[in-house]
Amino acid sequence: MSSAQGFGSNSPRSKLSQSQLNAILLRHQAFRKSQPGGVRANLKMRDLSHLDLSGIDLSDADLSGAKLFSARLTGANLANANLYAADLRLASLERADLRRADLRGACLRGAVLSEATLVEVDLRDGTLLHYDASGEMFAQEYEDSVLTSELTAATIRGADLSRAKVANAFVMQTDLTDAILRGTKFMRANLTGSNLTGCDLTDADLTEANLSGARLSGAVLTGCAINRTNFSGATLIGAILDAAQLRSPNIQAAVLAKTLENPEDDLRDLLVEHLSWIDSGGKAGKRADLSTLDLSGRKLDGINLSAAILQCITLRGASLTGTVMAIADLSLGDLRNADLSNADLRGVNLERATLTGADLTGAQLGPVHIQSMSGHIWRANLQRARLGMALLCKADLRKANLCGANLAGADLRGANLSEADLTGADLTGAVLEDTILEQAIVEEAIGLET
């Protein structure tokens, strides 16, 4: 007997109504609670297209081969569920729990999985099954045929795919912005043109994966295996890489940070033009744009780069003490171990920037008053910034946006975080002695005793 029996085109999916589904869900809930009359949900090969399953508990349920086209599964619990070869095209799975689910051979084309939990999911090949052009599934003629899992054009922003198995899968043109991909297995996966901006790929395996044309600005690739990975045309400006990775031949095919041919002269000319631009209110000179430049280790103490454009800049280990960068855009920058002590960073944009181990002692990161009479302010933006083990002693972070920021192990002694937004921030192990948190927003903050 073929192992594909029951999944083929000769076994059409039976359509379930919302009321029929609700009855199954009630019995499944009783099963989960070990109550009398409880039965594990068996939705194998059922057609659940367009149904609303938001918030339901289908953990451990059998949904193998089920058709969930455009189904609503927002916040659903599908932990340990069997979704082998399921059709999840255009399904809404925001904030769903899919940890350890079997998604081998599943089709998630165009699905939305933003902020979903996909820890340890299995998205490897499924066997003996295939989809035709209409999305119907049928058995393959040969037993060695495979059905490759597909996440093409899916939206997976901020999702957690730690230790997931995504080998050989199609993940093309997929939005994985800010996703957690720590230890994820992407061997031979096709990630062509995907957006991995700000992703955490620490210790992931990208061996023989195709990342041509992918965007990885601000992504962390430390400890990531990149043997024979195709980075042709991939944007790695602002990505966090190990020294050994930077020496890898295949990295050279990527778009990397630029260096100045005559750094001393070029920087001096840029700063002169920028100061003229500031002093004239934009009528003379030129606004400095140092985006994508590599200025690692340079001594830039006391310079004035207010309102400068510094996106994806690399300032790793640079000395910037007393620097004025108010309202400057340093988003996705690499400022690891930089010295920014006593710097003026009021209203700065450090969204998704990496400042691990940076010294921001006494730095000003409070708001800028745009018009003194109107009361309008420009807050510093450190959303999703990485400030692990950073020194922020006596730093001014009033009203700063620190949503989702990583402050694990940071030294915040005497820092002023009044009215700061710390929603979802990680303060595990942070030193908070004499830290001012008056009227700070701390919902879902980790490691903060309130």
Side-chain angles (χ1 to χ4, degrees), residues 15 59 62 71 101 156 178 199 257 261 266 291 302 319 328 368 377 420 434-435 438:
K15 179 73 176 176
S59 52
D62 187 355
I156 316 178
D178 298 323
C199 277
E261 290 185 13
D266 292 345
S291 300
S319 182
V368 170
I377 62 169
D434 297 324
T435 302
E438 185 178 350

Side-chain angles (χ1 to χ4, degrees), residues 128-198:
L128 299 165
L129 304 168
H130 195 62
Y131 287 105
D132 62 20
S134 67
E136 290 302 312
M137 187 165 52
F138 59 90
Q140 288 282 2
E141 183 178 353
Y142 303 106
E143 290 196 2
D144 60 351
S145 297
V146 297
L147 173 65
T148 301
S149 298
E150 184 179 346
L151 291 94
T152 299
T155 303
I156 316 178
R157 297 173 67 94
D160 188 348
L161 286 96
S162 299
R163 301 181 301 282
K165 298 167 185 163
V166 198
N168 299 311
F170 290 114
V171 199
M172 299 177 290
Q173 302 293 328
T174 297
D175 188 353
L176 285 150
T177 302
D178 298 323
I180 302 170
L181 306 167
R182 298 174 69 93
T184 304
K185 306 297 183 185
F186 279 109
M187 295 88 74
R188 299 173 300 281
N190 189 342
L191 292 137
T192 303
S194 287
N195 186 356
L196 292 102
T197 300

Side-chain angles (χ1 to χ4, degrees), residues 396-434:
D396 181 3
L397 287 151
R398 288 173 298 127
K399 297 181 183 290
N401 178 3
L402 287 151
C403 292
N406 183 354
L407 290 149
D411 190 342
L412 288 155
R413 286 177 295 175
N416 189 347
L417 286 156
S418 58
E419 298 183 68
D421 191 344
L422 290 155
T423 304
D426 186 355
L427 290 121
T428 305
V431 183
L432 299 168
E433 184 181 333
D434 297 324

Side-chain angles (χ1 to χ4, degrees), residues 24-25 45-47 82 120 144 151 165 224 230 245 342 387 409 415 421 424:
I24 293 172
L25 293 176
M45 288 301 296
R46 295 299 188 102
D47 187 349
N82 182 0
E120 297 180 2
D144 60 351
L151 291 94
K165 298 167 185 163
C224 186
N230 181 3
Q245 291 171 329
N342 300 309
L387 291 146
D421 191 344

Side-chain angles (χ1 to χ4, degrees), residues 319-343:
S319 182
L320 296 150
T321 58
T323 300
V324 180
M325 289 191 284
I327 321 181
D329 186 355
L330 288 140
S331 55
L332 296 166
D334 179 1
L335 292 96
R336 285 174 291 169
N337 300 311
D339 186 352
L340 290 151
S341 54
N342 300 309

Side-chain angles (χ1 to χ4, degrees), residues 328-392:
D329 186 355
L330 288 140
S331 55
L332 296 166
D334 179 1
L335 292 96
R336 285 174 291 169
N337 300 311
D339 186 352
L340 290 151
S341 54
N342 300 309
D344 183 353
L345 298 165
R346 290 171 300 149
V348 73
N349 183 10
L350 284 162
E351 184 174 0
R352 297 195 186 92
T354 302
L355 297 108
T356 308
D359 186 351
L360 291 130
T361 303
Q364 299 176 53
L365 288 146
V368 170
H369 294 272
I370 305 300
Q371 297 175 342
S372 57
M373 298 299 292
S374 68
H376 291 304
I377 62 169
W378 191 284
R379 301 169 186 255
N381 181 12
L382 290 93
Q383 187 171 7
R384 292 188 178 274
R386 302 181 183 107
L387 291 146
M389 306 304 294
L391 299 176
L392 288 151

